[in-house]
Amino acid sequence: MADGPVNDAPYRLIRDVTFGENVVVYSFTNLYGCRIGDDTRIGTFVEIQRGAVIGARCKVQSHTFVCDGIELEDEVFVGHGVMFVNDRRPRATSDGGGLQTEDDWQLERTLVKRGASLGSGAIVLGGVTIGEGALVGAGAVVTRDVAAGETVAGNPARALAGSAGGSAPPKG
Ligand SMILES: CC(C)(COP(=O)(O)OP(=O)(O)OC[C@H]1O[C@@H](n2cnc3c(N)ncnc32)[C@H](O)[C@@H]1OP(=O)(O)O)[C@@H](O)C(=O)NCCC(=O)NCCS
C-alpha cells in the first residue's frame, strides 16, 4: 500500500483512493473512492469512480471512463476513450418526477479478467464478463460475455473469424 502515485503531475483530483506501490497517474485525472493496484498507469483525462477496482500492472489510456461496479483484474490494457456502462436503462428522473438517486436504479457489474485488452473507443455494457486474455476491437460495443482468448469486434461485438476462444494466452 502506498500513500499516492509515485509521480508528480499537475491538475489531478484524487480523493479516497487506495493505491498499490509504484502507481503512475498523469494530469487531468479524476479518481475517487477506487482501488488501483501495483505498477498500474493511468493516462490523462481518465475518470475512475467510487467502487471501481483496477488490478496490478494495468494500463488505462487517456480519456477513458471507469464507473462503479467495474473490476479490472491484473494486466488489463484499456485503450483510449473506452466507456464502461453500469445502468442499462438510465433515466434522469424517478416516477415522482425528481432527479434519480442511487436507490432508483440497478447497478450492473462488469469483470474484465486478467490480461484482457480493450481497443480504443470500445463501449462495454454492464453485467458482462470479458475473459482472460480476450481482445476487444477498437470501437466495439460489447453487449455479451467474451470468452477467454477470444477476439471480438463490431457493434454488437462478435468473434472475428479465426479467433480462438476458450484459451487464455498469457500476455508478454
Ligand atoms: C480487432 C483487431 C484486434 C483485429 O485485428 P486483426 O486480427 O489483425 O484483424 P484484421 O485487421 O486482419 O481484420 C480482420 C477483419 O476484421 C475487421 N476488423 C478489424 N478490426 C475491426 C474493428 N475494430 N471493428 C470492426 N471490424 C474490424 C476488418 O475490417 C477485417 O474484415 P474483412 O475480413 O471483412 O476485411 C484490431 O483491428 C483492433 O481493433 N485492435 C485494437 C487496437 C487498439 O484499439 N489499440 C489501442 C491503443 S493504440
Side-chain angles (χ1 to χ4, degrees):
M1 215 72 83
D3 292 338
V6 283
N7 65 317
D8 276 329
Y11 306 111
R12 297 186 300 205
L13 292 177
I14 296 175
R15 189 161 24 95
D16 301 333
V17 177
T18 304
F19 285 103
E21 303 293 337
N22 199 33
V23 173
V24 173
V25 176
Y26 293 105
S27 297
F28 308 109
T29 48
N30 192 14
L31 316 178
Y32 48 97
C34 55
R35 242 170 47 213
I36 300 176
D38 296 345
D39 300 316
T40 281
R41 284 171 181 253
I42 309 291
T44 52
F45 296 103
V46 167
E47 171 147 340
I48 304 178
Q49 288 191 316
R50 182 170 306 286
V53 176
I54 313 290
R57 298 176 301 287
C58 292
K59 277 184 146 187
V60 180
Q61 305 291 81
S62 71
H63 301 89
T64 279
F65 173 63
V66 185
C67 48
D68 184 10
I70 308 306
E71 178 176 354
L72 311 184
E73 291 187 346
D74 297 343
E75 294 165 21
V76 166
F77 177 92
V78 180
H80 303 271
V82 173
M83 297 290 144
F84 287 90
V85 167
N86 62 8
D87 182 3
R88 188 161 294 247
R89 298 180 179 276
R91 296 285 178 205
T93 55
S94 59
D95 290 344
L99 283 182
Q100 279 202 353
T101 68
E102 283 181 13
D103 299 332
D104 295 316
W105 62 281
Q106 184 81 36
L107 177 79
E108 289 188 303
R109 296 184 179 279
T110 285
L111 176 63
V112 183
K113 291 198 166 176
R114 187 167 190 271
S117 292
L118 311 184
S120 294
I123 296 177
V124 182
L125 291 183
V128 303
T129 296
I130 296 176
E132 209 168 303
L135 179 50
V136 172
V141 179
V142 179
T143 59
R144 296 177 194 285
D145 291 354
V146 178
E150 191 172 39
T151 299
V152 298
N155 179 8
R158 295 284 184 252
L160 281 192
S163 157
S167 64
K171 294 197 73 180

